[in-house]
Amino acid sequence: MGKLVVKLRYLIIIIYIVASIFAVSQWSKVKILKGFSSFLPEEIGSIKGQKLLDSAFGSSASAMLFFTDVDDKETYWQIISYIRSLPEVKSALGPDQVGIFTIPQGFLPEIVRQLFYQGKGILVTIEFDGSESDPKVLKCIGNIYNYLKRYPDVIFTGSSVMTWESEYSFRSSPFPWYFVLSIIIILFILILNTKTLIPPILFFISLASAYIINMGTNVFLGSISYLTNALAGALQFGVSMDYALFLFHRFEEEKTKNANSKEAMANAINKTFAAILGSSLTTLIGFLAITIMTLKIGLDLGLVIAKGVFFTLIASVTLLPSLILILEKPINKTNFYDFSFLNFKPIKSINNKFKFLFFPESKNSKDKSDSENSFLGLVFSSKKRLVIIGIILIILMPLIIYNGLNIPVSYRLDDTMPSNLESYQSLQKIMDLAKTGDLINVVIPVPSFERFSRFNLQRAVDELKKIDGISLVASLNDYGHPSVPIQFFQQANIETFYKNGYMKIYLKTLYPPGTKESVLILDQATAILRKYFTEFYFVGQSSMLYDFIKIAQVDFARINIASMVFIFIILLFIFFSPVFATVLLLIVEFSVMLNLVFYNLFSGEISFIANMIIGSIQLGSTIDYALLFVTRYNEEYEKDKNKISAISRTVSATAKPILNAALCLFFATVG
């Protein structure tokens, strides 16, 4: 394979240029799904309920408007008139619509006070004509947001507002410059460690080409979620830089043995391909395991990143070697191999003082005694080796695995938003002032209203009101006792709660979506409603996150087990040794759990997004280091059949590329 790549290097570069241009032309055709509902399968209750609510009542994106001064009627009328004049606004439900805006609160019906008057302010619910990912709706939200800047005592928030502000914030912030800064830092690290100027740039060109082709081929999927779109670059970069580094370091090593750079590159490709193929397969399988999730984000994210890993693998053994060979002369002129941090006096003195900590760089079997007498050689003597393994297995591993699996996870969407967003801070204000965490609709199919028991509805409402955390339950019965015929109700009041064959119950909770309290409320509400109705659906952010949490808890466990099983099988095929496969998997999973434990100790709850992808990133990245190490160890062991000597040479040969790859991932994620 190596000789073929070297021979066709010019053709390979032309193919990648053409493929990249074509991918760029297709990239814009990929639809980005921005709503949280794009994560969820179509058959779950919250999605079904949303569709029923949309078709029956015409509901969609919504927002909350809170007037902190209940007596400032002039401000209320100015704002409400402006909002209702916007074509994208379907309704702005306020106390004026029931014709009793001027009546003192003490004389108002209980339902009106609970719906509109919160604390010392007035709560208005705005509904838009379209979803929160609709560009027209987002533009309308932006217009309202800018209009309300002249009214500091009016709060405008909600999930749709947070969606608009987060997108606006990211578009108008210097975020891309942080990304550029991250790239510059990584380039600096690569240049210092490879001691060359041009190859690190070629690494990025190779990775960028693979990334562009990957994103362009998403056109065959039709659409991807906003989370996949946001994470694809970081994930593909993070788990794939290793391939380029491993190849380059092996090429540098082969050049010391072979003066002909073309033959050295061919040998480097052939000798690193097993390690790169093995690591890419384990990474690819790890991401493909995510596709078995019930959540649609799994299929979406898994396929896109798995494609990215595959394209990067191909680019690393075809495009990168071709670029390095073609630019060999300028590369040689711009290297600085003589540079070393060890030439600085402070570092030199530290190195000399603690030299006993490291293996000597043994090149052949005659170094056997040195490596055995070194500090690490003594540590890895048979007795001490068993003690170390025993401590890890008996004491540390069960503790770390237990803590890693029991780390508290936050499913609140606002936890993933920047805390300095005005809509985020406004949500906290409304929760404090209006005692409102979320608004939930319960949709009940009612094929025949004449046969529908409003007495059952009242019993359900009475029980729902007793749930701790529900501050309001509103239904059709609030306009009249169940014994009062429906003909005595105003048509507008009827259509608020019953329309096109569906009944609606309106719930207001004290807790925001995704919290433990919110989940408990929906659990209790579900048990109550099942006693009175055979079919019902919860609709809103709380219900979507409720379904998401129920599915995610099972899904995350399923993909972790599946990825470990699949990766073990791949490792078994690579090394034909269950011992190697087990050891590699245990070491990497041990480090993943250790990472989660440290996060739990110092940071508390982890966001569900981070929890979902951290295992894949860390497993996909660090398994490469283990594979490179074991592959090289097998090669070194065949030379003298001495374990300690082979380990010594393996450490010397692999420490640098592993450290470089780890530093790149570290600074990419820090950026």
Side-chain angles (χ1 to χ4, degrees):
M1 177 183 176
K3 290 183 179 179
L4 184 64
V5 170
V6 170
K7 184 179 180 181
L8 301 176
R9 57 189 181 278
Y10 290 101
L11 178 61
I12 288 170
I13 291 174
I14 293 171
I15 290 173
Y16 270 94
I17 291 173
V18 173
S20 298
I21 293 172
F22 175 76
V24 168
S25 69
Q26 300 300 306
W27 197 340
S28 60
K29 298 178 182 178
V30 181
K31 184 180 179 182
I32 308 299
L33 304 176
K34 296 180 181 178
F36 184 75
S37 59
S38 64
F39 286 15
L40 301 169
E42 300 291 333
E43 65 273 10
I44 66 169
S46 57
I47 299 300
K48 283 183 178 179
Q50 183 64 59
K51 289 181 177 179
L52 292 176
L53 191 67
D54 290 347
S55 62
F57 293 90
S59 303
S60 49
S62 62
M64 290 184 286
L65 198 62
F66 189 74
F67 296 84
T68 56
D69 187 354
V70 72
D71 297 320
D72 190 355
K73 305 295 191 298
E74 184 180 349
T75 296
Y76 177 89
W77 283 114
Q78 286 175 350
I79 293 174
I80 213 74
S81 299
Y82 168 75
I83 289 175
R84 288 174 181 161
S85 69
L86 298 172
E88 293 82 11
V89 173
K90 184 182 296 181
S91 68
L93 185 61
D96 64 287
Q97 287 191 313
V98 291
I100 49 178
F101 187 72
T102 57
I103 298 175
Q105 288 190 48
F107 294 93
L108 291 174
E110 181 65 21
I111 180 62
V112 174
R113 286 206 306 272
Q114 290 181 337
L115 274 173
F116 303 119
Y117 291 94
Q118 308 292 332
K120 295 182 180 180
I122 300 171
L123 184 69
V124 174
T125 303
I126 303 171
E127 287 192 350
F128 298 95
D129 191 13
S131 68
E132 64 180 32
S133 61
D134 188 331
K136 291 182 179 179
V137 171
L138 290 175
K139 185 178 179 180
C140 177
I141 291 171
N143 292 335
I144 297 173
Y145 184 91
N146 292 324
Y147 178 81
L148 292 175
K149 285 181 179 179
R150 68 190 79 171
Y151 301 101
D153 294 331
V154 179
I155 300 172
F156 182 48
T157 189
S159 61
S160 300
V161 184
M162 292 175 73
T163 299
W164 171 82
E165 193 182 1
S166 62
E167 288 200 4
Y168 171 80
S169 174
F170 295 147
R171 285 197 305 268
S172 59
S173 73
F175 170 75
W177 294 108
Y178 289 119
F179 180 72
V180 171
L181 178 62
S182 185
I183 297 294
I184 291 171
I185 293 172
I186 295 168
L187 271 173
F188 180 71
I189 294 295
L190 287 173
I191 288 169
L192 283 182
N193 282 281
T194 60
K195 297 182 180 179
T196 58
L197 291 175
I198 298 176
I201 298 173
L202 300 184
F203 296 169
F204 278 98
I205 292 174
S206 176
L207 280 172
S209 179
Y211 172 68
I212 290 168
I213 293 171
N214 182 33
M215 299 306 286
T217 53
N218 287 335
V219 71
F220 298 109
L221 300 176
S223 62
I224 59 174
S225 77
Y226 73 91
L227 183 60
T228 299
N229 188 57
L231 293 175
L235 286 175
Q236 187 174 340
F237 177 89
V239 301
S240 304
M241 176 59 80
D242 311 353
Y243 311 155
L245 283 163
F246 294 168
L247 179 82
F248 178 75
H249 282 291
R250 192 59 190 245
F251 171 59
E252 292 293 293
E253 184 181 332
E254 291 296 325
K255 281 203 300 184
T256 62
K257 303 174 185 177
N258 195 327
N260 189 315
S261 58
K262 294 176 184 176
E263 291 184 15
M265 180 59 80
N267 291 335
I269 293 171
N270 292 333
K271 290 182 178 180
T272 56
F273 185 70
I276 294 176
L277 178 63
S279 62
S280 64
L281 279 176
T282 53
T283 306
L284 192 145
I285 291 296
F287 281 110
L288 285 180
I290 300 177
T291 62
I292 69 173
M293 291 172 67
T294 307
L295 296 169
K296 290 194 292 185
I297 183 64
L299 180 64
D300 199 61
L301 184 64
L303 281 178
V304 172
I305 307 301
K307 279 197 300 104
V309 171
F310 174 76
F311 288 130
T312 307
L313 164 68
I314 302 301
S316 297
V317 294
T318 55
L319 178 60
L320 181 59
S322 302
L323 291 171
I324 290 173
L325 287 177
I326 289 173
L327 297 172
E328 185 183 10
K329 288 183 179 179
I331 289 173
N332 292 334
K333 289 179 181 179
T334 55
N335 64 43
F336 45 99
Y337 293 136
D338 295 333
F339 172 80
S340 176
F341 282 110
L342 295 178
N343 293 329
F344 292 103
K345 286 185 178 180
I347 297 177
K348 185 184 289 186
S349 63
I350 293 172
N351 183 62
N352 291 334
K353 193 172 182 179
F354 297 99
K355 207 167 191 176
F356 70 93
L357 286 174
F358 304 100
F359 283 121
E361 292 193 13
S362 48
K363 302 296 180 185
N364 50 52
S365 59
K366 73 179 182 180
D367 295 318
K368 170 183 168 183
S369 59
D370 289 336
S371 52
E372 288 178 342
N373 291 328
S374 68
F375 177 76
L376 289 180
L378 292 173
V379 167
F380 287 119
S381 64
S382 58
K383 290 183 179 179
K384 290 184 176 66
R385 192 161 58 229
L386 290 174
V387 170
I388 292 170
I389 293 172
I391 291 172
I392 292 173
L393 291 177
I394 296 171
I395 301 174
L396 294 178
M397 280 198 76
L399 178 65
I400 289 174
I401 290 173
Y402 173 80
N403 281 288
L405 293 176
N406 288 276
I407 186 170
V409 180
S410 169
Y411 292 92
R412 288 184 59 179
L413 286 181
D414 50 12
D415 279 351
T416 68
M417 298 290 187
S419 59
N420 63 332
L421 288 183
E422 191 172 328
S423 54
Y424 175 88
Q425 295 171 350
S426 298
L427 185 62
Q428 309 307 309
K429 289 180 184 176
I430 285 187
M431 287 172 61
D432 294 335
L433 295 172
K435 307 299 181 186
T436 301
D438 193 31
L439 306 173
I440 304 171
N441 287 300
V442 181
V443 180
I444 305 167
V446 182
S448 173
F449 191 76
E450 289 74 18
R451 297 179 183 178
F452 179 75
S453 172
R454 286 174 52 216
F455 286 96
N456 271 349
L457 173 64
Q458 190 60 45
R459 294 187 191 100
V461 167
D462 291 340
E463 287 195 48
L464 289 171
K465 287 179 178 179
K466 295 177 183 178
I467 296 176
D468 184 29
I470 291 183
S471 58
L472 169 69
V473 182
S475 72
L476 185 63
N477 286 351
D478 287 300
Y479 292 108
H481 189 269
S483 59
V484 177
I486 196 71
Q487 290 80 7
F488 289 90
F489 291 3
Q490 293 182 11
Q491 187 62 30
N493 293 339
I494 294 174
E495 291 187 354
T496 301
F497 293 100
Y498 176 76
K499 197 173 182 181
N500 297 326
Y502 291 93
M503 181 71 69
K504 182 165 67 172
I505 301 175
Y506 186 75
L507 306 178
K508 189 176 73 173
T509 71
L510 298 177
Y511 303 104
T515 57
K516 293 178 181 178
E517 294 84 0
S518 173
V519 171
L520 181 60
I521 287 170
L522 287 173
D523 277 337
Q524 293 174 312
T526 299
I528 291 169
L529 291 168
R530 277 178 181 162
K531 293 191 294 185
Y532 301 102
F533 310 107
T534 56
E535 186 180 358
F536 59 90
Y537 303 95
F538 293 108
V539 181
Q541 285 284 356
S542 287
S543 62
M544 281 199 293
L545 281 171
Y546 176 80
D547 285 338
F548 180 84
I549 292 168
K550 296 293 184 185
I551 296 171
Q553 289 172 342
V554 176
D555 269 0
F556 292 171
R558 184 193 301 169
I559 63 173
N560 284 333
I561 294 171
S563 61
M564 284 192 287
V565 170
F566 294 151
I567 289 172
F568 177 81
I569 294 171
I570 294 295
L571 293 173
L572 200 58
F573 274 102
I574 293 173
F575 296 113
F576 298 102
S577 168
V579 176
F580 270 145
T582 304
V583 168
L584 291 189
L585 201 57
L586 281 177
I587 287 172
V588 177
E589 284 299 322
F590 178 79
S591 66
V592 171
M593 294 296 178
L594 190 63
N595 186 16
L596 291 173
V597 168
F598 273 105
Y599 187 91
N600 188 15
L601 287 175
F602 296 108
S603 301
E605 285 187 329
I606 186 171
S607 164
F608 73 90
I609 294 177
N611 187 52
M612 180 173 67
I613 65 174
I614 187 65
S616 299
I617 297 174
Q618 193 171 341
L619 179 66
S621 303
T622 55
I623 197 73
D624 302 356
Y625 313 153
L627 277 165
L628 178 71
F629 189 92
V630 173
T631 304
R632 185 58 181 258
Y633 169 76
N634 284 338
E635 185 181 326
E636 295 296 336
Y637 180 72
E638 290 301 317
K639 295 179 180 178
D640 57 11
K641 303 293 183 181
N642 182 278
K643 295 176 184 177
I644 298 297
S645 177
I647 284 285
S648 174
R649 294 193 299 273
T650 303
V651 168
S652 298
T654 61
K656 190 174 181 180
I658 288 175
L659 178 63
N660 287 348
L663 283 173
C664 287
L665 181 59
F666 176 82
F667 282 106
T669 52
V670 166

